[in-house]
């Protein structure tokens, strides 16, 4: 699950024992180890659509600050503004990434819609941390139209740093704006003594549409008020919290070199012991416990941390919380890797061919690439890949345009003020210190999983062998055997396929008539109903008037939709824009030829004896050849047979996808073997075996594992399994092909969309796309993730 990406700072060992475990340390350690937290970034090909269009999406699922390995499936649902579900899909997560599409019905009414995304594991925690993305769907035939809500009232709140105002201690205060609509872009304020309203004590100007800040040295007994004015003449008067005559104030500053903090106090007895714990996510990264803590300023070296939200919490001797603060680590030095783009050839001429290439990144397995007309909306403008990873994935409150805090022209003071106004809600210290942890109702299953029950004349078929014959296009029929438990139940885990698979079944007992056998299959996963209200929108619906004109954006979408059907009819996808764009090497081609979908896994190691340099000279047994070549795999000898084990657990051996006793391996000439793959963990062909397998394919492979009598399964009972929802292909015109010459108008906004391009280890990844009729520049967005250094790979620029 969560990897330890940061380390406790050894510099503080001189004045605190990191091994001394109080309630807080024990609680957070338990939470970190047993309750990892996933978060999802969703990006669409655009943010607004017209009814009848297709919506494509890409997801990145993180466990803290690394791509998640917890979940292998993601649930995606579409809702209207009344919380009614319109559509739903389940998509596979490969190395923490997934993609899919929705077809928006022609009959959708114009309005605000929401895409919800979550994993089974995330369903155990607050819905606030699931992904909710708003989209606008236009429909010129609807009686109502959607408009920006710029008339809604706004409110403001004041948040002193660390939560309190203490007499005589100069304190930074954040001012946070909220609204059901749009908050003002220009606003300012000043602080007064309520008894002397004409005297301004402190003044400030809002940083952005979220937050502003001011400093105040308060006096006990004075009631302070904040007066806020916006550019439209609206005015708000807000009471500040009461001033305490004694207490602790946690003051923090963050820079590129260090996070510094100190505890300022008033009327606190000297020698009082306080404890400060620093956490990133739910992992302790810093701790100090001292009776001299009020006398010092502490510095946490930033180079030992990562970009992200650091929570500092101050505890007293009874481990009660007396102050806390959120800070972003190194806001001025964001660790972002830029993909190296080369050979960029752009042509602004209508329908011209454009291209560029991406140099391979060693620690990144795939890129997401989209190219947009430079005049169109950018789906990363509101909430970007970076802002989800570092901010909104863990902060659930409404933030206007959070992406602004991670751009090259970002305002670090604004981000700091925003975090002063927030409280960490991934866990509550008081709750977990009372040994009250989240109730786990949902356990993630590997990919698609099914459970079933076998009955014979209504009674459970205990410990029975069941033959399943799968009919797989292009691979023929595959026979697999499973065994029920003492109550007739069985499980099929790790299925990785799209759409549906047909299969037949019968008990492996000729004495039992087929008509007496009943098998009931049920998916071992479920969509979890939404309980909370949907997020508030900045848009509202108003009555459409007969004289209303369509906006230029809507006109363009309507034109594009009308043209797209013509493109779809004529399009033959060029190699560069296939869904899984890549150069296929010979080993990949061999794997595709020999392996059926049931024996494919994202966690497999392939040895190619046809095209590779794998020499088996001197080996009489292929299992012995494998010894030492796959981490975790050992080959043990027992009574003349080789027994394969992976991390101590015995794994099965398959010959041309038929289960084989390891003792029979000696009968297979090594020279007859075309390919061997070692699969780790669950895979479809294992049916309940979670330890993996060794699959051996002979040079006649691909036929040995198939049924010789393809008609035999037609005599048996049949059923269907539903897999992952199939993604609609993103189709672009190829103007080098004369078939596209009759397209009258091309106003596409998304010129290229590829959610998963495998990063080549040697060759550059090539991208090609054709211009529309209008584009004069291009928005190029590239996303990936360095899994070694925990650093996002990101490029989001306009080029021309």
């Amino acid at each position: 699950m969560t990897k330890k990406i940061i380390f406790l700072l050894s510099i503080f060992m001189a004045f605190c024992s990191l091994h001394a475990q109080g309630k807080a340390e024990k609680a957070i350690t338990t939470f970190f180890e047993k309750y990892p937290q996933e978060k999802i970034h969703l990006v669409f090909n655009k943010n607004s659509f017209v009814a009848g269009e297709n919506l494509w999406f890409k997801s990145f699922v993180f466990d803290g600050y690394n791509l998640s390995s917890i979940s292998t499936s993601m649930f995606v649902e579409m809702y209207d503004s009344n919380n009614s579900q319109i559509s739903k899909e389940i998509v596979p997560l490969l190395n923490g990434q997934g993609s899919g599409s929705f077809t928006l019905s022609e009959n959708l009414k114009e309005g605000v819609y929401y895409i919800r995304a979550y994993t089974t594991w995330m369903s155990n925690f607050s819905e606030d941390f699931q992904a909710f993305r708003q989209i606008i769907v236009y429909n010129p035939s609807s009686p109502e139209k959607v408009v920006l809500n710029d008339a809604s009232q706004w409110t403001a709140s004041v948040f002193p740093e660390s939560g309190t105002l203490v007499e005589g201690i100069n304190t930074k205060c954040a001012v946070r704006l909220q609204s059901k609509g749009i908050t003002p872009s220009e606003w300012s304020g000043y602080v007064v003594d309520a008894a002397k309203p004409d005297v301004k004590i402190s003044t400030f100007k809002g940083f952005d549409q979220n937050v502003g800040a001011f400093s105040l040295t308060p006096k006990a007994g004075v009631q302070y008020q904040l007066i806020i004015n916006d550019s439209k003449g609206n005015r708000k008067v807000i009471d500040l919290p009461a001033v305490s005559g004694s207490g602790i104030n946690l003051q923090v500053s963050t820079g590129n070199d260090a996070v510094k903090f100190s505890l300022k106090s008033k009327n606190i007895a000297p020698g009082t012991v306080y404890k400060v714990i620093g956490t990133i996510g739910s992992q302790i990264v810093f701790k100090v416990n001292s009776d001299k803590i009020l006398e010092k300023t502490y510095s946490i070296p930033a180079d030992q941390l990562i970009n992200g939200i650091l929570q500092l919490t101050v505890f007293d001797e009874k481990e009660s919380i007396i102050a806390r603060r959120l800070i972003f680590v190194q806001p001025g030095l964001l660790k972002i890797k830029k993909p190296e783009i080369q050979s960029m050839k752009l042509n602004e001429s209508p329908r011209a061919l454009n291209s560029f290439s991406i140099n391979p990144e060693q620690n990144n397995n795939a890129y997401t690439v989209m190219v947009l007309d430079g005049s169109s909306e950018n789906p990363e403008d509101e909430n970007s890949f970076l802002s989800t990873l570092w901010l909104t994935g863990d902060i659930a409150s409404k933030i206007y345009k959070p992406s602004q805090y991670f751009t090259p022209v970002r305002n670090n003071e604004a981000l700091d003020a925003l975090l002063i106004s927030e409280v960490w809600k991934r866990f509550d210290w008081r709750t977990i210190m009372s040994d009250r942890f989240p109730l786990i109702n949902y356990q993630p299953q590997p990919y698609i999983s099914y459970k079933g029950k076998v009955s014979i004349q209504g009674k459970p078929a205990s410990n029975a062998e069941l033959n399943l014959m799968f009919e797989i296009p292009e691979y023929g029929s595959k026979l697999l055997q499973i065994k029920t438990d003492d109550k007739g139940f069985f499980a099929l885990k790790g299925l990785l396929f799209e759409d549906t698979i047909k299969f037949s079944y019968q008990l492996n007992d000729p004495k039992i008539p087929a008509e007496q056998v009943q098998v009931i299959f049920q998916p071992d996963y479920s969509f979890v109903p939404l309980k909370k209200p949907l997020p508030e929108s900045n848009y509202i619906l108003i009555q459409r008037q007969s004289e209303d004109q369509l906006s230029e954006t809507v006109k363009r979408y309507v034109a594009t939709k009308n043209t797209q059907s013509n493109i779809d009819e004529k399009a033959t996808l060029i190699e560069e824009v296939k869904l899984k764009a890549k150069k296929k090497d010979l080993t990949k081609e061999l794997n595709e030829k020999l392996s059926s979908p049931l024996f494919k896994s994202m966690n497999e190691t392939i040895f190619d004896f046809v095209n590779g340099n794998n020499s088996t000279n001197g080996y009489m047994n292929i299992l012995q050849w494998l010894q030492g070549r796959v981490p975790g795999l050992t080959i043990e000898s027992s009574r003349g047979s080789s027994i394969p084990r992976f991390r101590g657990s015995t794994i099965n051996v398959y010959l041309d996808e038929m289960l084989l006793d390891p003792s029979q391996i000696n009968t297979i000439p090594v020279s007859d073997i075309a390919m061997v793959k070692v699969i780790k963990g669950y895979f479809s062909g294992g049916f309940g075996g979670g330890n993996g397998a060794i699959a051996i394919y002979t040079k006649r492979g691909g036929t040995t594992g198939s049924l010789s009598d393809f008609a035999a399964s037609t005599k048996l009972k049949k059923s269907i399994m539903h897999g992952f929802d199939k993604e609609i292909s993103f189709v672009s015109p190829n103007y080098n092909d004369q078939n596209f010459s009759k397209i009258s108008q091309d106003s596409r906004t998304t010129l290229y969309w590829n959610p998963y391009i495998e990063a080549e280890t040697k060759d550059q990844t090539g991208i090609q796309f054709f211009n529309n009729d209008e584009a004069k520049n291009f928005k190029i967005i590239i996303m990936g993730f360095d899994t070694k250094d925990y650093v996002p790979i990101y490029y989001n620029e306009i080029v021309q």
Side-chain angles (χ1 to χ4, degrees), residues 7 48 75 92 123 166 242-243 278 336 394 407 415 515 518 571 591 595 621 641 645 679 740 748 773 776 793:
F7 300 94
S48 56
F75 302 93
S123 300
V166 181
V243 181
I336 304 170
D394 296 306
T407 65
L415 176 58
E515 60 270 16
Q518 181 184 30
N591 186 32
S595 301
N621 184 314
S641 297
R645 299 183 187 276
I679 303 174
F740 293 93
R748 293 170 298 130
D773 292 337
K776 298 304 179 185
I793 300 170

Side-chain angles (χ1 to χ4, degrees), residues 403-586:
S403 63
Q404 66 183 299
Y405 300 113
F406 305 100
T407 65
V409 293
R410 60 192 176 272
N411 185 331
N412 296 330
E413 279 191 272
L415 176 58
D416 190 58
L418 183 81
L419 291 177
I420 287 176
S421 71
E422 290 286 352
V423 175
W424 189 260
K425 294 183 179 179
R426 280 291 189 177
F427 64 85
D428 177 73
W429 276 112
R430 295 178 181 88
T431 300
I432 64 174
M433 288 169 66
S434 300
D435 290 329
R436 289 180 286 141
F437 293 96
L439 184 62
I440 301 302
N441 295 313
Y442 307 97
Q443 290 290 349
Q445 296 292 338
Y447 297 107
I448 293 287
S449 297
Y450 275 80
K451 53 187 176 183
K453 183 178 182 180
V454 183
S455 301
I456 303 172
Q457 292 185 320
K459 297 182 179 180
S462 304
N463 303 310
E465 290 185 348
L466 183 71
N467 293 328
L468 296 172
M469 280 147 281
F470 287 85
E471 302 166 23
I472 304 174
E474 302 178 8
Y475 295 93
S477 298
K478 292 292 179 180
L479 174 63
L480 293 167
Q481 290 185 339
I482 59 174
K483 192 171 183 179
T484 65
D485 62 17
D486 56 358
K487 295 182 180 179
F489 290 101
F490 64 91
L492 308 178
K493 295 181 180 290
L495 300 169
L496 183 56
F497 66 96
E498 288 184 331
D499 210 359
T500 60
I501 286 184
K502 297 179 181 179
F503 64 96
S504 308
Y505 60 85
Q506 70 173 15
L507 282 182
N508 191 20
D509 188 343
K511 298 177 182 179
I512 302 175
E515 60 270 16
Q516 295 182 4
V517 180
Q518 181 184 30
V519 181
I520 300 174
F521 288 90
Q522 181 179 343
D524 199 11
Y525 63 88
S526 62
F527 289 81
V528 180
L530 176 63
K531 299 175 183 177
K532 62 171 281 187
L534 290 164
E536 292 179 339
S537 172
N538 295 334
Y539 292 84
I540 57 173
L541 286 170
I542 63 172
Q543 196 69 29
R544 191 186 300 274
Q545 304 299 320
S546 58
E547 65 272 15
D548 287 347
Q549 299 294 314
L550 296 180
S551 68
E552 292 303 315
T553 297
V554 177
K555 288 179 181 178
R556 184 173 188 176
Y557 288 174
V558 171
T560 299
K561 188 190 77 169
N562 294 335
T563 303
Q564 192 65 45
S565 59
N566 193 12
I567 293 175
D568 291 344
E569 290 175 2
K570 299 178 181 298
T572 301
L573 289 178
I574 59 176
E575 183 68 19
E576 287 78 10
V577 296
K578 286 183 177 178
L579 181 61
K580 304 293 183 184
K582 59 184 178 182
K583 279 186 178 180
K584 293 183 179 178
D585 59 31
L586 295 176

Side-chain angles (χ1 to χ4, degrees), residues 609-625:
F609 297 97
V610 175
N611 308 296
N613 296 320
N614 297 307
S615 174
T616 57
N617 292 337
Y619 290 90
M620 301 296 294
N621 184 314
I622 193 63
L623 294 183
Q624 293 300 325
W625 182 89

Side-chain angles (χ1 to χ4, degrees), residues 124-313:
N124 294 299
F125 309 100
S126 171
E127 287 181 340
D128 291 341
F129 297 106
Q130 296 178 7
F132 290 90
R133 279 289 309 275
Q134 172 188 280
I135 62 169
I136 304 299
V137 177
Y138 298 105
N139 188 338
S141 63
S142 289
E144 295 179 308
K145 66 177 183 179
V146 66
V147 296
L148 196 61
N149 180 10
D150 58 0
S152 180
Q153 292 294 309
W154 50 269
T155 60
S157 302
V158 178
F159 299 88
E161 184 174 23
S162 83
T164 57
L165 289 174
V166 181
E167 182 180 25
I169 298 177
N170 186 265
T171 302
K172 182 178 179 180
C173 297
V175 183
R176 183 73 174 272
L177 300 187
Q178 294 289 353
S179 174
K180 291 184 178 180
I182 297 295
T183 51
S185 57
E186 294 184 10
W187 58 287
S188 59
Y190 57 92
V191 179
V192 298
D193 179 343
K196 302 175 183 178
D198 295 330
V199 180
K200 297 180 181 180
I201 299 173
S202 180
T203 62
F204 72 96
K205 184 177 180 181
F207 292 125
D208 51 41
Q209 290 181 253
N210 294 309
V211 71
F214 64 88
S215 294
L216 176 69
T217 303
K219 296 179 180 179
V222 176
Q223 176 58 62
Y224 293 96
Q225 289 183 326
L226 176 66
I227 316 298
I228 302 177
N229 299 284
D230 69 14
S231 58
K232 294 183 178 180
N234 296 308
R235 185 172 186 265
K236 303 287 183 184
V237 179
I238 301 151
D239 288 334
L240 270 63
V243 181
S244 175
S246 62
I248 294 289
N249 188 260
L250 172 64
Q251 300 191 351
V252 186
S253 63
T254 180
N256 292 339
D257 298 327
V259 175
K260 297 180 180 180
F261 75 89
S262 61
L263 295 182
K264 305 297 183 180
S265 65
K266 177 73 173 182
N267 296 328
I268 299 296
T272 304
V273 177
Y274 291 98
K275 175 168 62 179
V276 179
I277 293 179
T279 54
I280 292 183
S282 54
Q283 182 179 355
I284 296 180
V285 298
F286 168 81
K287 173 187 165 183
V288 58
N289 191 1
S290 173
D291 59 356
K292 301 184 183 300
I293 198 168
L294 299 180
E295 304 170 10
K296 297 183 179 181
T297 295
Y298 296 92
S299 181
I300 308 174
D303 60 0
Q304 296 191 33
L305 305 176
I306 62 169
N307 289 134
I309 297 175
L310 169 68
Q311 178 181 203
L312 290 177
T313 308

